[in-house]
Amino acid sequence: MSKELQQETRRKMIIEIAGKHFLDYGYGATTMSAIASAYGGSKETLWRYFPNKEVLFAAYIEHATATFRGKLAPHLKSDKPLEQSLRDFAKHYIDEICSTESIDLHRLAVGESARFPEVGRLFYERAPKATEELLEEFLATQMSVGKLPSADAGRAARTLIQLCMMARYPVIFGIDKASDIDSTELARLSVMDFMTIYEPS
């Protein structure tokens, strides 16, 4: 194994260990010393990869949300009928935001952001905002070719995302489990409502 691959493997291992600590104990109660101990290395080694806790938390958020966005992007394809692309995106978005890790991460960000604003900022920039930008780019393309009426693509993206987000509330508050959610039907309804607003004349 090359030195670069060893370093990348070690870095990923640290991020995964840190992520478990952040989710289990919260941002405030997680320490670099505890992560180094769980990792089995020295604090000096940990600091070579991540100079402080905020940088490490940002790396964890990026790691978690990059996987999330990577699962969504393939469903936004211009070679499919528009509503089918939107339903595919909405279904997988609902599946992802109702997953256990996503719910835990959301609770962490909301619970800690009052005391640690950087937590809320990092989560927002790498999760909701990045997902909105991904969808906004797709919708802007659809508007440019006349498949959707010309409008504010960013606002349109937020509209669809908020319609999908309603599926998450029963899971966040412990009323339903993710397995109780019919994401296919909820995606269909979300896109139907979206198209009522943005359907071409």
Side-chain angles (χ1 to χ4, degrees), residues 37-49:
S37 178
Y39 161 63
S42 67
K43 286 188 286 187
E44 289 74 17
T45 298
L46 177 59
W47 288 331
R48 280 203 298 271
Y49 286 89

Side-chain angles (χ1 to χ4, degrees), residues 53-94:
K53 186 167 68 172
E54 183 176 349
V55 171
L56 179 52
F57 183 75
Y60 164 62
I61 294 294
E62 180 59 34
H63 171 72
T65 57
T67 301
F68 173 81
R69 294 192 302 273
K71 292 178 180 178
L72 295 176
H75 300 289
L76 296 174
K77 294 183 177 179
S78 298
D79 59 350
K80 293 191 297 185
L82 173 60
E83 290 189 45
Q84 184 62 55
S85 290
L86 294 178
R87 284 196 298 270
D88 289 346
F89 171 88
K91 180 196 181 313
H92 287 83
Y93 181 72
I94 291 169

